[in-house]
Amino acid sequence: MDSQKDFNENNDARNVEEEEKKIKENSDNSKYNDEINVQLEHPVWLLGQYYPNGMEKANQLESSFFLDHNSRIWITYRYSFEPILPSNYTSDLGWGCMLRSGQMLLANALIYHFLGRDWRINIREKYETYKKLIGWFMDFPEKPFSIHKIATLGQKYDKAIGEWFGPNIISQVLKNAVEEFSECNNIISICVSVDQSIYKDEILKVTNNWKKALVLLLPIRLGIKNLNPLYYDDLKKYFQFPQCIGIGGGKPKSSLYLIGNDGIV
């Protein structure tokens, strides 16, 4: 046990150092400034919302796009949280990217359901509800959608704590997490597509004949090593759906949470 603990602690320290190095290397954004300035006025789709003037103004306080963007939930790597028992992991650096992508996808879906798509961070109405929703994702073992809960549920699918999740596993784990949390399960259901197929009977079953809201997850591979260009246009169109809650994915051990695109009307 001591050797395993030493290994985990050394691994955590090494991951923290590597992450800090990456942050330092990427901290100089000057080489991107010209490109960003050019793109400010491109039309943008952000989770079903259209911004014809794109990011409009560099001043985020005056931009409706940035207000919307900054109202979305961002959850990322952390360290020094309580150990994810029965392991000794106190950080998800290096392995938690898909777990965090899944958290963000679910968190924003819950924001839409409980607060509405037009809710913004500067609206005081329902702010207490917003804080409660955020609390469900805090990195404590007792929280229903914490990194502890998600990593632990992964063991049902032969994923050890500290092991990277694929799209199908995170979809199933999110479904399980919602089902185990009565405050959500009574009003929200998750349906995970099987073999890239969606069955109406299954949707009616999980939603109790549409008496509950639906989060529909479609784990799918869109290329062998890289994203197949054949899917580019369809993926862009997905961000125009009013029901869009984003895309979690990327490549093994490198997940992103995608919420929109620019340059398409």
Side-chain angles (χ1 to χ4, degrees):
M1 291 296 293
D2 290 340
S3 61
Q4 179 64 40
K5 180 178 180 181
D6 292 341
F7 172 79
N8 285 338
E9 289 177 347
N10 291 335
N11 194 45
D12 285 349
R14 184 165 59 253
N15 285 332
V16 170
E17 291 175 359
E18 291 175 355
E19 194 67 19
E20 289 177 344
K21 182 179 179 181
K22 290 180 182 178
I23 292 172
K24 185 176 181 180
E25 290 174 349
N26 294 326
S27 61
D28 181 10
N29 292 322
S30 59
K31 62 182 178 180
Y32 302 111
N33 284 344
D34 291 340
E35 180 181 354
I36 291 174
N37 289 334
V38 170
Q39 295 178 351
L40 283 177
E41 295 182 357
H42 283 191
V44 173
W45 282 96
L46 175 66
L47 296 176
Q49 294 279 325
Y50 181 54
Y51 294 93
N53 298 319
M55 294 177 245
E56 308 166 280
K57 303 172 183 177
N59 184 350
Q60 296 189 21
L61 296 177
E62 300 176 1
S63 168
S64 57
F65 165 81
F66 278 113
L67 182 57
D68 186 356
H69 177 275
N70 294 342
S71 298
R72 303 310 114 215
I73 307 303
W74 178 46
I75 305 174
T76 188
Y77 296 131
R78 287 189 62 238
Y79 57 91
S80 297
F81 48 66
E82 294 182 39
I84 305 176
L85 300 177
S87 78
N88 294 310
Y89 278 101
T90 58
S91 170
D92 63 314
L93 292 174
W95 59 270
C97 55
M98 182 59 86
L99 285 73
R100 297 301 189 179
S101 293
Q103 283 182 311
M104 286 187 281
L105 188 147
L106 179 59
N108 285 305
L110 295 178
I111 290 292
Y112 293 0
H113 181 77
F114 287 102
L115 303 180
R117 179 62 182 87
D118 294 330
W119 187 87
R120 298 292 183 266
I121 193 70
N122 63 340
I123 299 176
R124 304 309 299 177
E125 184 182 359
K126 299 183 179 180
Y127 195 75
E128 291 303 314
T129 301
Y130 171 77
K131 291 197 296 183
K132 182 176 75 170
L133 296 179
I134 294 297
W136 291 347
F137 293 85
M138 294 181 68
D139 290 332
F140 295 105
E142 68 275 12
K143 298 299 181 179
F145 307 125
S146 65
I147 192 74
H148 300 73
K149 182 68 173 182
I150 293 175
T152 301
L153 285 173
Q155 295 177 105
K156 294 174 58 176
Y157 303 95
D158 298 322
K159 287 292 183 179
I161 296 172
E163 188 175 353
W164 184 81
F165 284 12
N168 185 62
I169 298 299
I170 188 61
S171 297
Q172 297 294 343
V173 165
L174 292 178
K175 175 180 172 65
N176 294 157
V178 168
E179 289 174 344
E180 292 185 10
F181 185 45
S182 60
E183 194 165 348
C184 276
N185 188 41
N186 292 332
I187 53 178
I188 294 175
S189 57
I190 291 183
C191 182
V192 182
S193 69
V194 179
D195 297 326
Q196 294 85 55
S197 299
I198 302 169
Y199 297 98
K200 183 178 179 181
D201 290 347
E202 179 65 19
I203 289 178
L204 293 175
K205 177 182 176 181
V206 299
T207 61
N208 192 15
N209 289 319
W210 294 113
K211 292 183 175 68
K212 297 196 293 183
L214 173 69
V215 174
L216 181 60
L217 301 179
L218 289 81
I220 187 172
R221 187 169 186 171
L222 301 178
I224 299 177
K225 292 185 178 180
N226 298 297
L227 176 63
N228 192 318
L230 290 173
Y231 300 111
Y232 286 0
D233 289 341
D234 288 333
L235 287 175
K236 290 178 180 179
K237 290 176 182 177
Y238 166 66
F239 291 113
Q240 300 179 27
F241 290 3
Q243 302 86 357
C244 174
I245 57 173
I247 299 174
K251 56 184 179 180
K253 299 184 180 180
S254 181
S255 174
L256 300 171
Y257 176 54
L258 309 177
I259 61 174
N261 69 282
D262 72 343
I264 183 173
V265 178

